[in-house]
Amino acid sequence: MDEVQIISTYKTILTITHQMLKAAQGNNWEKLFALEQECKKLTHTLITNPPQRILSADTQKRKIEIIHQILVCDAKIRDITEPWMAHLQKLLVPYSQTTSAKWSKYH
């Protein structure tokens, strides 16, 4: 990938990450999951298509700025999803324990 493609891909990831944050804020878990899959594809593209040459200092700086913005959004998303996941875990544990107890009764 050349510098323009790399920065463009990072910008697209940032845009999707902003959309993921909005989805998380709206409790739209299906959309969040779908957007997460898009990010994974783009990240895979970056990993499997390394730069054709060393990035210029300006491009490297811009890339780092975008990554920082992505990480800020990601932290905000985790602030929303982690408590929800903990709540879901609490709901599932009693079910899991009940199911395990019933299952072990037959084995």
Side-chain angles (χ1 to χ4, degrees):
M1 296 178 83
D2 64 26
E3 291 186 344
V4 172
Q5 292 169 318
I6 290 169
I7 293 301
S8 176
T9 303
Y10 276 103
K11 284 181 177 180
T12 302
I13 291 171
L14 178 59
T15 298
I16 293 170
T17 305
H18 281 292
Q19 293 170 357
M20 289 171 63
L21 177 56
K22 287 181 183 178
Q25 289 168 333
N27 295 325
N28 190 341
W29 309 120
E30 289 177 18
K31 184 171 184 173
L32 177 64
F33 179 76
L35 291 167
E36 182 181 32
Q37 297 309 307
E38 286 184 49
C39 272
K40 283 183 181 182
K41 288 177 188 176
L42 291 169
T43 302
H44 180 74
T45 298
L46 288 169
I47 292 168
T48 57
N49 297 292
Q52 296 169 349
R53 57 189 168 87
I54 296 175
L55 300 177
S56 70
D58 287 341
T59 301
Q60 184 68 22
K61 181 180 175 188
R62 182 67 185 128
K63 177 182 135 181
I64 291 169
E65 289 169 354
I66 296 168
I67 290 171
H68 283 225
Q69 292 172 18
I70 292 168
L71 292 174
V72 168
C73 277
D74 184 63
K76 290 177 182 179
I77 293 166
R78 280 185 279 115
D79 286 345
I80 295 167
T81 59
E82 286 178 357
W84 181 81
M85 293 298 289
H87 175 72
L88 183 61
Q89 181 68 25
K90 286 179 185 177
L91 293 174
L92 294 177
V93 167
Y95 173 77
S96 174
Q97 291 171 346
T98 304
T99 305
S100 294
K102 287 179 183 176
W103 181 258
S104 64
K105 192 179 355 178
Y106 298 108
H107 287 83

